[in-house]
Amino acid sequence: MLNPVLLLLTTLLLSSSLNAQIRITDVHGEHVFEQPPAKVVALNWAMAEQLIELEAPLLAVSDVRGYQEWVVKPKLPEGIHDLGARAEPNLEKMARLQPDLIIVSGITKAQVERLKNIAPVLNFNTFSNTHNNPQVAIDTFRQLALLFNKTVLAEQKLRDMQQRFVELRSALTSAYQGKLPKVATVRFANTASVYMYGDNSMSQYALKQLGINPALAITSSQWGLVQKRVLELSKIQTGSVLYFEPFNEYPQLQASRLWQAMPIVRNNKVAAVAATWTYGGAMSLKYLAEAMAQSLLILAAKNIELGLSEKNFIEAKQ
Amino acid sequence: MILRYSTTIAAIIVFSGVYLLYDTTLSSAVQWQLVTGKTPELFSEFVYLFATLPRLVMALMVGAVLGLVGSLLQQITRNPLLSPLTLGTSAGAWLALILISIAVPSLAPDLKALVVMIGSMLAMGLVLLIAGFRELAGLRVILAGMAVNILLGAITSAIIILRDQYAKNLFIWGAGDLAQNDWQWMIWLAPKLIIALVILVIAPRILQLLRLGQSGAQSLGLATTPVLIALFGAALWLMSATITAVGIISFIGLIAPNIARLLGANHARDQLYYSTVLGALLLLLADFVARIVSNLSVDIIPSGTATAIIGAPMLIYLAMRGSRAEDQMPLSQYGENQRKLTLKKWLGISCFALFLLVMALFLNNDGVSWRWNMPSDFEITTRIPRILIALAAGICMAVAGTVLQRLINNPLASPDLLGVSAGATAAIVISSLLTGQSLFVLNPLIALTGSAVMLAILVLLTRAKQFSGGTVLLLGISLTAMVEALVQFVLAKGSQDVYNLLSWLAGSTYHVQLSQSLYLLAASAVILTLSLISSRGLTLLNLNTEIAAARGLNVTLNTNAVLFLVALSCAFVTALLGPVAFIGLLAPHIARLLGAQKVKSQLLLAALLGAIVLILADWLGRNIIFPSQVAAGTLAAALGGGYFILLLLKAKLNRKTFI
């Protein structure tokens, strides 16, 4: 439980800083804001997600339909304007909406300069092979909270997330009787190839928070994933594999004898994870952890059931 | 001949053995036991039985079919540069796969395969319909194939850009992948290929007769039309089935018949059989390389990428060896056209261009309706660079196309075919891949380097041997296909910034800055002027190199100078805007159709038309699916492709050759 006095104090401290200037650092350096922006445009799904979590005044995002289909959580509020494809957000429409801040990531300096004609721009670095993606997502979350005067909310959410990690971890630990499996997270491209999430990926970070280590060492990369043959999964002897949905060809993969021969399949160590966005912001780590923990719990239950039925079988035989 | 077959088959057997022994701990003895019925126990035994072995069989089977179909089509059309993929099959399959994956993502794989196969067959059916069954031997079928390819390709890339998340997983299929998990695909594919055996038995005699020409064959009692329909139908069926099973594997169908001819396969039967055997060997080797490299590197190298990387140098070597007379591109001369280019026409077209400029600036969709509006200052700064660069790029590509078509006296020639655009694209994609930098930062200088390198190769090659249009086209085709394979490979890597690459490849004006558009505008003025200056040389070269030399023209110098001009245009456009296809093919065509007979008038009119098409495409692209946008290059390809198909159909109805 938090000390109410302490909470009050921090709130006071923060509100007193309201009148002062807000200093935000992005890839281009420090930007000074007199007050929190009131009409914000996000040209990147991860940024949009962070802003929605912070209850910031979001005005428009790129590719609304794509967000609803792929990012899903958190839900996009009603009435958000659509700026079109992510590669080419519509500048004219953006200008007509008269935002007072544009939040982007990973675009070039020339593009930033052009956007500055519409409104001030904050350009955050999200996914890069030169930094720790999940940590940067959390840092950016805090920066944005500062900008929108939502630090209390942000810290609350981050604490909730940590709390959730602890809960999930203990649930998993008891389900697996103290022996948490090593886990590899993947996304199938087709029945023969697979994208494996490794160091610097959001899913691996989330698993680590649950006390779970990777089943395969995958080198760090910009987006935290590497394309490999499905065969590569045969290197996992004792660990489990979680694959992200949707993967419509799974029945076909299941029917193939190479797949059936893999240790993970023979030991029943494969489970699907409900569609979750793996390139999101800070809070996506929580959603990822929840979705993956749920799959792992189901897997544990299934294995116990199988183990029991095997035991029964053996007993019945005797 | 027997030696040729026996060494090739021996090579297949040896390499198959090596292929099976690579990357496994199983000895050949154990492998043999497994094949003859031993139950697999170790995982490596499963891998052998359900991954390596089916993959090997798949490679041999698909390679053989590609070689067979390639030889069959090249012999029917008597065009050695024809690849089965240029007849629309892959473009149709791609579009069908993308559409069905987006519309019904959860469709069962069997049904999906069926849809893909239908898509591929429809596309090639469309090509044949446009070309007409009587014209299968001519240039028209290739023109129709190109037009359909470009049209469908443009539609596909527009859809992919708008729904990139759905398309991501499909790129590996697009790159052509032979990896197997079981015999499932084999069981699916093998029965569909039985028809290949029928072809091997009956086709040689027909092909031999067809060498006399369609009328000659007819006089010997061959009902050519139904026979050709049957052969094309069979080829179509085989291609569609293999594409559906393993994706797009380029080059095998193109180079296997060429190597077969080079090694002395003269008769129809010999060419057909030997191409089949060679196809199997080539794909086996390419896939072996793909396996080795995939093992050594972090990423998967799809088989299709390997065939392109091995196939392109082979094709260049073939080109260097020089092509015999029968291997020449069927040069369709610029026919005479009665129409005159009147002043009235000039005025009409110019007025339309001006009207278009005004419209592009003032008439726009604001999300509610299309309105004439005074643009705000900001809108002026976003619209002007886009309109200007569309104008300039249209001029550059049209001039490049006209010059090239005149130079090699072939209305099929397009600067995209020269491989110079491809060189620029390759340079940008590779450097972005290596450095991880954004495409929009790397753009200008690297593209220039890429196309300059391509240009240097071209000039060296053409200097080393007597200049021949066919050689240059062969080089261009190989480089373009190699770049396509490279792009598919990059797309298949699965990073999230794929959509940036896609939007750049689509030739979008979105990211263009005012300064860049002004550069290109200046460059286009210079290029147009230079082309006008060189028009006398072009007229002479167009007639005949000997006549030109007799008239005191330095042929080599002139040829190189004009080639340089083409390369420069492509480099500038690719660097500043991205690859823009089809304008270079289409604008000179329409100019001629409107009656521009002389080189000078064709250059000017084509430039005007090129600018019109790109400005129109850019304006439509900015507005039709507001707030999203379709790239100008994509829309120009779609507009151009559609128009071109109409032209071909109209000419067919009027029983006239419009070329």
Side-chain angles (χ1 to χ4, degrees):
Chain A
M1 266 284 124
L2 269 170
N3 189 335
V5 182
L6 195 72
L7 194 67
L8 190 69
L9 265 174
T10 20
T11 322
L12 279 175
L13 268 171
L14 285 167
S15 56
S16 69
S17 69
L18 222 180
N19 301 328
Q21 289 168 328
I22 310 167
R23 293 173 188 279
I24 302 292
T25 311
D26 73 352
V27 292
H28 303 296
E30 198 180 68
H31 301 258
V32 179
F33 292 84
E34 298 297 332
Q35 58 192 28
K39 293 167 84 180
V40 189
V41 163
L43 300 187
N44 172 293
W45 288 346
M47 288 300 155
E49 182 208 302
Q50 305 253 41
L51 292 174
I52 296 167
E53 291 288 354
L54 289 169
E55 294 164 17
L58 187 61
L59 181 64
V61 300
S62 309
D63 196 358
V64 163
R65 191 169 160 193
Y67 181 97
Q68 287 162 344
E69 281 172 22
W70 294 96
V71 184
V72 191
K73 272 193 207 173
K75 210 166 163 266
L76 212 54
E78 293 287 310
I80 299 269
H81 294 275
D82 187 0
L83 294 174
R86 284 182 292 166
E88 303 188 346
N90 197 306
L91 296 176
E92 296 189 7
K93 182 167 181 183
M94 209 188 305
R96 253 173 267 144
L97 291 172
Q98 296 182 318
D100 55 6
L101 177 66
I102 301 170
I103 299 184
V104 297
S105 81
I107 67 173
T108 65
K109 209 161 179 190
Q111 286 168 287
V112 170
E113 286 307 315
R114 207 155 56 145
L115 289 173
K116 276 188 184 163
N117 293 323
I118 301 176
V121 177
L122 281 180
N123 185 5
F124 289 104
N125 212 347
T126 46
F127 286 82
S128 159
N129 53 2
T130 57
H131 67 214
N132 179 338
N133 289 333
Q135 192 52 52
V136 168
I138 293 170
D139 294 346
T140 308
F141 187 66
R142 287 201 161 107
Q143 285 265 311
L144 289 171
L146 193 65
L147 176 61
F148 292 101
N149 192 26
K150 299 280 187 187
T151 303
V152 179
L153 178 69
E155 294 306 323
Q156 183 62 47
K157 286 208 166 192
L158 287 171
R159 270 196 308 274
D160 286 352
M161 181 163 82
Q162 289 304 331
Q163 182 59 37
R164 193 82 183 105
F165 287 150
V166 173
E167 285 167 24
L168 293 170
R169 185 176 185 156
S170 70
L172 283 171
T173 313
S174 69
Y176 281 91
Q177 286 140 0
K179 279 178 281 177
L180 285 178
K182 288 184 172 181
V183 174
T185 46
V186 304
R187 206 179 267 278
F188 286 103
N190 57 24
T191 54
S193 46
V194 63
Y195 298 113
M196 296 186 172
Y197 292 98
D199 294 350
N200 217 8
S201 70
M202 303 299 267
S203 57
Q204 187 165 314
Y205 179 91
L207 282 176
K208 209 172 159 196
Q209 305 311 306
L210 304 180
I212 291 172
N213 287 320
L216 273 182
I218 305 284
T219 43
S220 172
S221 61
Q222 183 188 358
W223 295 97
L225 87 174
V226 180
Q227 191 192 45
K228 288 282 180 196
R229 289 289 173 214
V230 167
L231 205 54
E232 191 83 3
L233 293 175
S234 68
K235 291 184 181 162
I236 303 172
Q237 293 295 335
T238 54
S240 301
V241 169
L242 294 180
Y243 72 91
F244 288 98
E245 285 183 329
F247 176 50
N248 297 308
E249 290 166 68
Y250 193 64
Q252 210 187 8
L253 180 65
Q254 266 185 316
S256 72
R257 279 169 282 185
L258 185 72
W259 179 250
Q260 288 164 5
M262 292 210 189
I264 44 167
V265 182
R266 290 192 158 175
N267 301 330
N268 196 23
K269 291 286 160 52
V270 185
V273 181
T276 317
W277 188 236
T278 39
Y279 313 100
M283 286 302 123
S284 77
L285 293 168
K286 185 177 83 175
Y287 301 133
L288 273 169
E290 283 172 343
M292 290 188 297
Q294 203 196 350
S295 304
L296 285 172
L297 288 175
I298 292 171
L299 199 59
K302 212 192 270 175
N303 276 313
I304 287 168
E305 212 173 274
L306 277 177
L308 282 180
S309 65
E310 234 163 68
K311 224 166 122 191
N312 292 341
F313 181 69
I314 295 164
E315 277 166 10
K317 235 179 160 183
Q318 283 167 349
Chain B
M1 194 171 103
I2 293 167
L3 182 71
R4 172 153 46 84
Y5 278 92
S6 49
T7 37
T8 313
I9 290 169
I12 290 179
I13 292 167
V14 169
F15 280 110
S16 295
V18 179
Y19 187 100
L20 290 176
L21 287 171
Y22 174 72
D23 196 26
T24 182
T25 50
L26 302 180
S27 67
S28 352
V30 177
Q31 294 189 358
W32 179 247
Q33 285 171 2
L34 282 166
V35 176
T36 50
K38 177 176 178 283
T39 317
E41 282 153 24
L42 299 172
F43 186 68
S44 59
E45 294 176 344
F46 277 96
V47 171
Y48 169 76
L49 215 49
F50 299 114
T52 319
L53 199 58
R55 183 170 175 163
L56 169 72
V57 178
M58 196 63 131
L60 292 175
M61 205 162 77
V62 169
V65 166
L66 291 175
L68 171 72
V69 173
S71 177
L72 184 69
L73 292 180
Q74 289 187 5
Q75 289 194 57
I76 295 176
T77 60
R78 279 179 289 162
N79 186 332
L81 293 187
L82 187 77
S83 145
L85 296 182
T86 51
L87 289 182
T89 43
S90 59
W94 235 142
L95 180 56
L97 181 68
I98 298 280
L99 278 179
I100 199 69
S101 304
I102 289 171
V104 200
S106 56
L107 194 69
D110 284 350
L111 283 176
K112 206 177 261 183
L114 189 71
V115 172
V116 170
M117 201 152 161
I118 291 172
S120 155
M121 290 174 68
L122 282 180
M124 194 160 147
L126 181 65
V127 171
L128 296 184
L129 189 76
I130 296 166
F133 288 108
R134 288 174 181 283
E135 308 275 349
L136 288 181
L139 186 64
R140 285 179 49 127
V141 69
I142 294 155
L143 283 176
M146 274 185 56
V148 168
N149 260 343
I150 290 170
L151 176 66
L152 298 185
I155 297 171
T156 312
S157 68
I159 296 171
I160 291 179
I161 288 175
L162 294 175
R163 312 296 297 275
D164 58 88
Q165 285 299 321
Y166 280 100
K168 244 182 60 186
N169 290 343
L170 306 176
F171 289 129
I172 181 111
W173 178 87
D177 193 23
L178 289 169
Q180 305 293 319
N181 288 342
D182 202 337
W183 294 86
Q184 294 161 336
W185 273 113
M186 202 67 211
I187 290 164
W188 183 89
L189 183 61
K192 297 184 173 60
L193 299 184
I194 285 175
I195 201 169
L197 299 175
V198 182
I199 294 182
L200 284 173
V201 175
I202 63 160
R205 202 186 79 90
I206 300 169
L207 291 174
Q208 196 65 37
L209 280 178
L210 277 175
R211 290 189 170 194
L212 304 168
Q214 284 203 33
S215 51
Q218 237 151 7
S219 65
L220 283 176
L222 184 71
T224 46
T225 310
V227 163
L228 283 180
I229 291 175
L231 283 184
F232 256 93
L236 168 60
W237 172 264
L238 291 173
M239 274 315 286
S240 309
T242 50
I243 287 178
T244 306
V246 299
I248 298 162
I249 292 185
S250 57
F251 275 103
I252 304 291
L254 176 61
I255 54 174
N258 276 297
I259 297 178
R261 269 192 298 273
L262 194 74
L263 294 179
N266 283 321
H267 296 289
R269 179 197 304 273
D270 195 5
Q271 277 187 23
L272 201 65
Y273 287 11
Y274 195 57
S275 301
T276 308
V277 179
L278 260 184
L281 177 63
L282 286 173
L283 189 54
L284 169 66
L285 291 177
D287 192 44
F288 193 27
V289 171
R291 277 183 66 204
I292 295 173
V293 180
S294 297
N295 249 1
L296 299 177
S297 78
V298 180
D299 296 292
I300 294 177
I301 309 294
S303 321
T305 310
T307 61
I309 287 165
I310 296 166
M314 267 192 183
L315 206 59
I316 292 174
Y317 172 75
L318 287 176
M320 295 274 287
R321 278 290 302 260
S323 33
R324 288 168 300 159
E326 67 157 330
D327 283 352
Q328 289 294 337
M329 188 81 186
L331 294 183
S332 159
Q333 329 59 40
Y334 264 132
E336 281 308 309
N337 183 327
Q338 267 72 51
R339 264 171 269 189
K340 286 248 164 59
L341 189 57
T342 55
L343 189 66
K344 227 162 96 186
K345 269 189 201 164
W346 269 114
L347 274 176
I349 296 167
S350 309
C351 284
F352 181 66
L354 277 178
F355 169 71
L356 202 61
L357 273 178
V358 173
M359 194 169 69
L361 193 55
F362 293 98
L363 177 62
N364 281 285
N365 180 1
D366 60 3
V368 185
S369 64
W370 293 63
R371 266 180 223 155
W372 289 95
N373 247 334
M374 197 60 207
S376 66
D377 286 354
F378 178 76
E379 283 162 355
I380 288 177
T381 59
T382 60
R383 285 175 200 168
I384 292 279
R386 303 183 71 165
I387 296 170
L388 286 184
I389 201 145
L391 171 84
I395 294 175
C396 284
M397 294 318 283
V399 168
T402 314
V403 166
L404 201 64
Q405 294 189 359
R406 285 286 180 170
L407 181 69
I408 54 185
N409 196 10
N410 189 329
L412 178 60
S414 153
D416 335 329
L417 282 185
L418 200 68
V420 180
S421 295
T425 310
I428 289 176
V429 172
I430 291 172
S431 54
S432 169
L433 188 66
L434 292 180
T435 62
Q437 279 255 22
S438 160
L439 291 160
F440 305 108
V441 176
L442 292 164
N443 229 330
L445 273 177
I446 291 169
L448 274 177
T449 319
S451 48
V453 168
M454 271 310 306
L455 176 73
I457 295 174
L458 274 176
V459 171
L460 278 177
L461 286 178
T462 47
R463 190 175 292 170
K465 52 184 264 71
Q466 194 66 12
F467 172 78
S468 116
T471 313
V472 174
L473 280 186
L474 207 58
L475 288 173
I477 289 174
S478 58
L479 284 154
T480 310
M482 200 165 98
V483 168
E484 267 166 26
L486 184 75
V487 168
Q488 286 289 0
F489 165 65
V490 175
L491 291 177
K493 279 167 65 79
S495 74
Q496 276 297 302
D497 36 25
V498 155
Y499 56 85
N500 275 329
L501 175 61
L502 287 170
S503 109
W504 182 78
L505 286 171
S508 165
T509 59
Y510 180 87
H511 293 283
V512 173
Q513 294 158 40
L514 184 64
S515 59
Q516 291 174 319
S517 65
L518 291 176
Y519 285 141
L520 195 62
L521 200 61
S524 71
V526 172
I527 285 166
L528 183 61
T529 317
L530 286 176
S531 72
L532 289 173
I533 292 171
S534 65
S535 64
R536 175 180 169 264
L538 268 181
T539 313
L540 287 172
L541 286 171
N542 191 198
L543 292 171
N544 188 315
T545 45
E546 276 133 46
I547 300 176
R551 298 265 184 95
L553 191 77
N554 184 336
V555 174
T556 321
L557 184 72
N558 258 277
T559 308
N560 284 347
V562 180
L563 265 182
F564 181 70
L565 204 61
V566 174
L568 208 62
S569 306
C570 294
F572 271 121
V573 173
T574 313
L576 294 168
L577 183 58
V580 175
F582 220 44
I583 302 283
L585 180 69
L586 196 69
H589 258 292
I590 307 179
R592 283 192 63 81
L593 209 65
L594 288 169
Q597 307 291 339
K598 299 241 164 61
V599 175
K600 258 187 193 154
S601 58
Q602 194 190 3
L603 277 169
L604 284 171
L605 189 57
L608 194 58
L609 291 168
I612 286 177
V613 174
L614 257 192
I615 293 173
L616 185 68
D618 179 53
W619 171 71
L620 276 176
R622 280 187 281 133
N623 290 297
I624 44 173
I625 49 164
F626 187 91
S628 283
Q629 312 179 40
V630 185
T634 303
L635 211 56
L639 285 175
Y643 177 74
F644 202 68
I645 289 171
L646 283 181
L647 277 185
L648 285 163
L649 280 174
K650 201 176 143 216
K652 187 185 152 200
L653 289 178
N654 296 343
R655 299 207 161 277
K656 268 194 285 190
T657 47
F658 79 97
I659 303 151

